[in-house]
Amino acid sequence: MRPAPLPDPSLLKAANINPNTGLATDYLNHYNEIAMMIATLGDMPEMQESILEWRPVGYAAHFRMTGFRDRDLAVAAYESVPPDVKARFFAARREVELAILDVQDLMEAAPEASARLAARAPEIFAAIARLGGVINGGEVHLAD
């Protein structure tokens, strides 16, 4: 079963949703926030609890929970994302999530290693950038 066609491109553009992919970069906020918390661990070890509480949230769920002005359009467009784009999106999203979950696991095993774990933030930001590339319609090469 093929997804329905994407909504009108002008509506998508006006809502800051890529008309070619049907995806919005607003979703990256979910990952940027946790990456910034991880980056501050060296100076702010009190961020550990918030980092450990973080959980991945799917695309549609993210928009349903946020104040994104055009959240209904974002969810509708997501349901029509072309299968090849969605496959790349899932792979890139999984890469980001695994990097964050790895930091959480290491933090639970060695809470005293906050400063060392902060050094993992650039890797997470790079994975977020690759996910952004998928959202924006570019070719993305996942990290090995």
Side-chain angles (χ1 to χ4, degrees), residues 94-118:
R94 188 69 183 147
E95 180 187 6
V96 174
E97 291 173 355
L98 288 174
I100 294 167
L101 294 170
D102 189 46
V103 168
Q104 288 176 318
D105 289 345
L106 293 168
M107 186 180 293
E108 284 184 326
E112 70 284 353
S114 291
R116 196 166 25 101
L117 292 175

PDB file of all heavy atoms in Angstrom, residues 94-118:
ATOM      1  N   ARG A  94      17.609   6.360  14.430  1.00  0.00           N
ATOM      2  CA  ARG A  94      18.117   5.284  15.299  1.00  0.00           C
ATOM      3  C   ARG A  94      19.572   5.537  15.679  1.00  0.00           C
ATOM      4  O   ARG A  94      19.979   5.266  16.813  1.00  0.00           O
ATOM      5  CB  ARG A  94      17.967   3.924  14.594  1.00  0.00           C
ATOM      6  CG  ARG A  94      18.280   2.762  15.481  1.00  0.00           C
ATOM      7  CD  ARG A  94      17.218   2.633  16.556  1.00  0.00           C
ATOM      8  NE  ARG A  94      17.576   1.547  17.456  1.00  0.00           N
ATOM      9  CZ  ARG A  94      17.304   1.546  18.739  1.00  0.00           C
ATOM     10  NH1 ARG A  94      16.648   2.533  19.277  1.00  0.00           N
ATOM     11  NH2 ARG A  94      17.659   0.540  19.485  1.00  0.00           N
ATOM     12  N   GLU A  95      20.357   6.062  14.748  1.00  0.00           N
ATOM     13  CA  GLU A  95      21.753   6.376  15.040  1.00  0.00           C
ATOM     14  C   GLU A  95      21.845   7.411  16.170  1.00  0.00           C
ATOM     15  O   GLU A  95      22.648   7.259  17.099  1.00  0.00           O
ATOM     16  CB  GLU A  95      22.442   6.908  13.784  1.00  0.00           C
ATOM     17  CG  GLU A  95      23.894   7.258  14.016  1.00  0.00           C
ATOM     18  CD  GLU A  95      24.535   7.938  12.824  1.00  0.00           C
ATOM     19  OE1 GLU A  95      23.851   8.252  11.833  1.00  0.00           O
ATOM     20  OE2 GLU A  95      25.749   8.181  12.913  1.00  0.00           O
ATOM     21  N   VAL A  96      21.024   8.447  16.112  1.00  0.00           N
ATOM     22  CA  VAL A  96      21.012   9.471  17.164  1.00  0.00           C
ATOM     23  C   VAL A  96      20.611   8.838  18.497  1.00  0.00           C
ATOM     24  O   VAL A  96      21.267   9.039  19.523  1.00  0.00           O
ATOM     25  CB  VAL A  96      20.033  10.624  16.821  1.00  0.00           C
ATOM     26  CG1 VAL A  96      19.930  11.603  17.980  1.00  0.00           C
ATOM     27  CG2 VAL A  96      20.445  11.329  15.549  1.00  0.00           C
ATOM     28  N   GLU A  97      19.542   8.079  18.469  1.00  0.00           N
ATOM     29  CA  GLU A  97      19.027   7.498  19.707  1.00  0.00           C
ATOM     30  C   GLU A  97      20.023   6.537  20.337  1.00  0.00           C
ATOM     31  O   GLU A  97      20.193   6.528  21.558  1.00  0.00           O
ATOM     32  CB  GLU A  97      17.681   6.825  19.446  1.00  0.00           C
ATOM     33  CG  GLU A  97      16.603   7.843  19.144  1.00  0.00           C
ATOM     34  CD  GLU A  97      15.292   7.242  18.712  1.00  0.00           C
ATOM     35  OE1 GLU A  97      15.188   5.999  18.541  1.00  0.00           O
ATOM     36  OE2 GLU A  97      14.339   8.034  18.518  1.00  0.00           O
ATOM     37  N   LEU A  98      20.684   5.730  19.526  1.00  0.00           N
ATOM     38  CA  LEU A  98      21.667   4.796  20.083  1.00  0.00           C
ATOM     39  C   LEU A  98      22.839   5.538  20.732  1.00  0.00           C
ATOM     40  O   LEU A  98      23.331   5.113  21.788  1.00  0.00           O
ATOM     41  CB  LEU A  98      22.173   3.836  19.008  1.00  0.00           C
ATOM     42  CG  LEU A  98      21.175   2.774  18.563  1.00  0.00           C
ATOM     43  CD1 LEU A  98      21.726   1.975  17.384  1.00  0.00           C
ATOM     44  CD2 LEU A  98      20.806   1.855  19.725  1.00  0.00           C
ATOM     45  N   ALA A  99      23.270   6.633  20.142  1.00  0.00           N
ATOM     46  CA  ALA A  99      24.364   7.414  20.733  1.00  0.00           C
ATOM     47  C   ALA A  99      23.941   7.990  22.086  1.00  0.00           C
ATOM     48  O   ALA A  99      24.718   7.957  23.052  1.00  0.00           O
ATOM     49  CB  ALA A  99      24.795   8.526  19.783  1.00  0.00           C
ATOM     50  N   ILE A 100      22.714   8.484  22.170  1.00  0.00           N
ATOM     51  CA  ILE A 100      22.216   9.048  23.430  1.00  0.00           C
ATOM     52  C   ILE A 100      22.020   7.939  24.459  1.00  0.00           C
ATOM     53  O   ILE A 100      22.421   8.077  25.626  1.00  0.00           O
ATOM     54  CB  ILE A 100      20.907   9.823  23.195  1.00  0.00           C
ATOM     55  CG1 ILE A 100      21.177  11.048  22.322  1.00  0.00           C
ATOM     56  CG2 ILE A 100      20.276  10.237  24.531  1.00  0.00           C
ATOM     57  CD1 ILE A 100      19.930  11.710  21.764  1.00  0.00           C
ATOM     58  N   LEU A 101      21.420   6.843  24.046  1.00  0.00           N
ATOM     59  CA  LEU A 101      21.196   5.726  24.974  1.00  0.00           C
ATOM     60  C   LEU A 101      22.510   5.153  25.483  1.00  0.00           C
ATOM     61  O   LEU A 101      22.605   4.738  26.645  1.00  0.00           O
ATOM     62  CB  LEU A 101      20.346   4.648  24.301  1.00  0.00           C
ATOM     63  CG  LEU A 101      18.907   5.069  23.971  1.00  0.00           C
ATOM     64  CD1 LEU A 101      18.225   4.018  23.093  1.00  0.00           C
ATOM     65  CD2 LEU A 101      18.102   5.346  25.220  1.00  0.00           C
ATOM     66  N   ASP A 102      23.543   5.169  24.656  1.00  0.00           N
ATOM     67  CA  ASP A 102      24.861   4.710  25.077  1.00  0.00           C
ATOM     68  C   ASP A 102      25.402   5.607  26.189  1.00  0.00           C
ATOM     69  O   ASP A 102      25.944   5.120  27.187  1.00  0.00           O
ATOM     70  CB  ASP A 102      25.815   4.674  23.885  1.00  0.00           C
ATOM     71  CG  ASP A 102      27.129   3.995  24.219  1.00  0.00           C
ATOM     72  OD1 ASP A 102      27.114   2.905  24.836  1.00  0.00           O
ATOM     73  OD2 ASP A 102      28.186   4.564  23.874  1.00  0.00           O
ATOM     74  N   VAL A 103      25.249   6.907  26.039  1.00  0.00           N
ATOM     75  CA  VAL A 103      25.678   7.837  27.089  1.00  0.00           C
ATOM     76  C   VAL A 103      24.902   7.562  28.370  1.00  0.00           C
ATOM     77  O   VAL A 103      25.476   7.527  29.464  1.00  0.00           O
ATOM     78  CB  VAL A 103      25.509   9.306  26.641  1.00  0.00           C
ATOM     79  CG1 VAL A 103      25.661  10.276  27.816  1.00  0.00           C
ATOM     80  CG2 VAL A 103      26.530   9.646  25.558  1.00  0.00           C
ATOM     81  N   GLN A 104      23.599   7.339  28.260  1.00  0.00           N
ATOM     82  CA  GLN A 104      22.799   7.037  29.445  1.00  0.00           C
ATOM     83  C   GLN A 104      23.298   5.767  30.133  1.00  0.00           C
ATOM     84  O   GLN A 104      23.430   5.728  31.358  1.00  0.00           O
ATOM     85  CB  GLN A 104      21.320   6.884  29.072  1.00  0.00           C
ATOM     86  CG  GLN A 104      20.645   8.183  28.708  1.00  0.00           C
ATOM     87  CD  GLN A 104      19.211   7.967  28.261  1.00  0.00           C
ATOM     88  OE1 GLN A 104      18.922   7.029  27.516  1.00  0.00           O
ATOM     89  NE2 GLN A 104      18.327   8.849  28.681  1.00  0.00           N
ATOM     90  N   ASP A 105      23.564   4.732  29.347  1.00  0.00           N
ATOM     91  CA  ASP A 105      24.056   3.478  29.924  1.00  0.00           C
ATOM     92  C   ASP A 105      25.391   3.678  30.633  1.00  0.00           C
ATOM     93  O   ASP A 105      25.597   3.185  31.746  1.00  0.00           O
ATOM     94  CB  ASP A 105      24.218   2.401  28.841  1.00  0.00           C
ATOM     95  CG  ASP A 105      22.895   1.886  28.312  1.00  0.00           C
ATOM     96  OD1 ASP A 105      21.842   2.137  28.947  1.00  0.00           O
ATOM     97  OD2 ASP A 105      22.903   1.239  27.244  1.00  0.00           O
ATOM     98  N   LEU A 106      26.293   4.404  29.994  1.00  0.00           N
ATOM     99  CA  LEU A 106      27.596   4.671  30.607  1.00  0.00           C
ATOM    100  C   LEU A 106      27.450   5.518  31.866  1.00  0.00           C
ATOM    101  O   LEU A 106      28.165   5.303  32.853  1.00  0.00           O
ATOM    102  CB  LEU A 106      28.520   5.364  29.601  1.00  0.00           C
ATOM    103  CG  LEU A 106      28.948   4.513  28.404  1.00  0.00           C
ATOM    104  CD1 LEU A 106      29.612   5.375  27.338  1.00  0.00           C
ATOM    105  CD2 LEU A 106      29.861   3.374  28.842  1.00  0.00           C
ATOM    106  N   MET A 107      26.532   6.457  31.847  1.00  0.00           N
ATOM    107  CA  MET A 107      26.298   7.306  33.014  1.00  0.00           C
ATOM    108  C   MET A 107      25.771   6.495  34.190  1.00  0.00           C
ATOM    109  O   MET A 107      26.175   6.701  35.336  1.00  0.00           O
ATOM    110  CB  MET A 107      25.307   8.415  32.651  1.00  0.00           C
ATOM    111  CG  MET A 107      25.108   9.440  33.744  1.00  0.00           C
ATOM    112  SD  MET A 107      23.940  10.703  33.219  1.00  0.00           S
ATOM    113  CE  MET A 107      24.902  11.466  31.934  1.00  0.00           C
ATOM    114  N   GLU A 108      24.872   5.573  33.908  1.00  0.00           N
ATOM    115  CA  GLU A 108      24.356   4.719  34.977  1.00  0.00           C
ATOM    116  C   GLU A 108      25.451   3.836  35.551  1.00  0.00           C
ATOM    117  O   GLU A 108      25.502   3.595  36.749  1.00  0.00           O
ATOM    118  CB  GLU A 108      23.199   3.865  34.465  1.00  0.00           C
ATOM    119  CG  GLU A 108      21.920   4.652  34.325  1.00  0.00           C
ATOM    120  CD  GLU A 108      20.750   3.792  33.901  1.00  0.00           C
ATOM    121  OE1 GLU A 108      20.930   2.825  33.123  1.00  0.00           O
ATOM    122  OE2 GLU A 108      19.632   4.095  34.348  1.00  0.00           O
ATOM    123  N   ALA A 109      26.353   3.362  34.702  1.00  0.00           N
ATOM    124  CA  ALA A 109      27.433   2.480  35.143  1.00  0.00           C
ATOM    125  C   ALA A 109      28.521   3.246  35.887  1.00  0.00           C
ATOM    126  O   ALA A 109      29.151   2.695  36.790  1.00  0.00           O
ATOM    127  CB  ALA A 109      28.040   1.752  33.941  1.00  0.00           C
ATOM    128  N   ALA A 110      28.754   4.501  35.506  1.00  0.00           N
ATOM    129  CA  ALA A 110      29.833   5.293  36.114  1.00  0.00           C
ATOM    130  C   ALA A 110      29.401   6.748  36.234  1.00  0.00           C
ATOM    131  O   ALA A 110      29.829   7.600  35.458  1.00  0.00           O
ATOM    132  CB  ALA A 110      31.100   5.171  35.279  1.00  0.00           C
ATOM    133  N   PRO A 111      28.552   7.061  37.219  1.00  0.00           N
ATOM    134  CA  PRO A 111      28.051   8.433  37.365  1.00  0.00           C
ATOM    135  C   PRO A 111      29.160   9.472  37.544  1.00  0.00           C
ATOM    136  O   PRO A 111      28.962  10.642  37.220  1.00  0.00           O
ATOM    137  CB  PRO A 111      27.173   8.371  38.613  1.00  0.00           C
ATOM    138  CG  PRO A 111      26.931   6.939  38.892  1.00  0.00           C
ATOM    139  CD  PRO A 111      28.015   6.157  38.221  1.00  0.00           C
ATOM    140  N   GLU A 112      30.295   9.052  38.015  1.00  0.00           N
ATOM    141  CA  GLU A 112      31.399   9.982  38.242  1.00  0.00           C
ATOM    142  C   GLU A 112      32.084  10.406  36.934  1.00  0.00           C
ATOM    143  O   GLU A 112      32.954  11.269  36.932  1.00  0.00           O
ATOM    144  CB  GLU A 112      32.434   9.377  39.193  1.00  0.00           C
ATOM    145  CG  GLU A 112      33.249   8.233  38.617  1.00  0.00           C
ATOM    146  CD  GLU A 112      32.515   6.882  38.517  1.00  0.00           C
ATOM    147  OE1 GLU A 112      31.381   6.752  39.017  1.00  0.00           O
ATOM    148  OE2 GLU A 112      33.110   5.969  37.927  1.00  0.00           O
ATOM    149  N   ALA A 113      31.713   9.816  35.826  1.00  0.00           N
ATOM    150  CA  ALA A 113      32.382  10.074  34.544  1.00  0.00           C
ATOM    151  C   ALA A 113      31.715  11.173  33.729  1.00  0.00           C
ATOM    152  O   ALA A 113      31.874  11.227  32.519  1.00  0.00           O
ATOM    153  CB  ALA A 113      32.437   8.784  33.738  1.00  0.00           C
ATOM    154  N   SER A 114      30.999  12.085  34.368  1.00  0.00           N
ATOM    155  CA  SER A 114      30.246  13.122  33.651  1.00  0.00           C
ATOM    156  C   SER A 114      31.087  13.899  32.650  1.00  0.00           C
ATOM    157  O   SER A 114      30.687  14.091  31.509  1.00  0.00           O
ATOM    158  CB  SER A 114      29.621  14.106  34.635  1.00  0.00           C
ATOM    159  OG  SER A 114      28.613  13.478  35.360  1.00  0.00           O
ATOM    160  N   ALA A 115      32.251  14.367  33.085  1.00  0.00           N
ATOM    161  CA  ALA A 115      33.081  15.187  32.197  1.00  0.00           C
ATOM    162  C   ALA A 115      33.489  14.400  30.964  1.00  0.00           C
ATOM    163  O   ALA A 115      33.481  14.920  29.846  1.00  0.00           O
ATOM    164  CB  ALA A 115      34.311  15.697  32.940  1.00  0.00           C
ATOM    165  N   ARG A 116      33.814  13.155  31.135  1.00  0.00           N
ATOM    166  CA  ARG A 116      34.216  12.309  30.005  1.00  0.00           C
ATOM    167  C   ARG A 116      33.035  12.070  29.064  1.00  0.00           C
ATOM    168  O   ARG A 116      33.187  12.039  27.846  1.00  0.00           O
ATOM    169  CB  ARG A 116      34.773  10.980  30.537  1.00  0.00           C
ATOM    170  CG  ARG A 116      35.539  10.195  29.534  1.00  0.00           C
ATOM    171  CD  ARG A 116      36.347   9.067  30.162  1.00  0.00           C
ATOM    172  NE  ARG A 116      35.836   8.576  31.433  1.00  0.00           N
ATOM    173  CZ  ARG A 116      35.119   7.460  31.579  1.00  0.00           C
ATOM    174  NH1 ARG A 116      34.841   6.712  30.547  1.00  0.00           N
ATOM    175  NH2 ARG A 116      34.701   7.074  32.771  1.00  0.00           N
ATOM    176  N   LEU A 117      31.857  11.921  29.627  1.00  0.00           N
ATOM    177  CA  LEU A 117      30.674  11.687  28.800  1.00  0.00           C
ATOM    178  C   LEU A 117      30.280  12.937  28.015  1.00  0.00           C
ATOM    179  O   LEU A 117      29.731  12.833  26.919  1.00  0.00           O
ATOM    180  CB  LEU A 117      29.505  11.206  29.661  1.00  0.00           C
ATOM    181  CG  LEU A 117      29.702   9.814  30.262  1.00  0.00           C
ATOM    182  CD1 LEU A 117      28.556   9.479  31.202  1.00  0.00           C
ATOM    183  CD2 LEU A 117      29.839   8.767  29.179  1.00  0.00           C
ATOM    184  N   ALA A 118      30.583  14.113  28.544  1.00  0.00           N
ATOM    185  CA  ALA A 118      30.305  15.355  27.819  1.00  0.00           C
ATOM    186  C   ALA A 118      31.047  15.374  26.488  1.00  0.00           C
ATOM    187  O   ALA A 118      30.572  15.975  25.514  1.00  0.00           O
ATOM    188  CB  ALA A 118      30.700  16.560  28.671  1.00  0.00           C
TER     189      ALA A 118
END
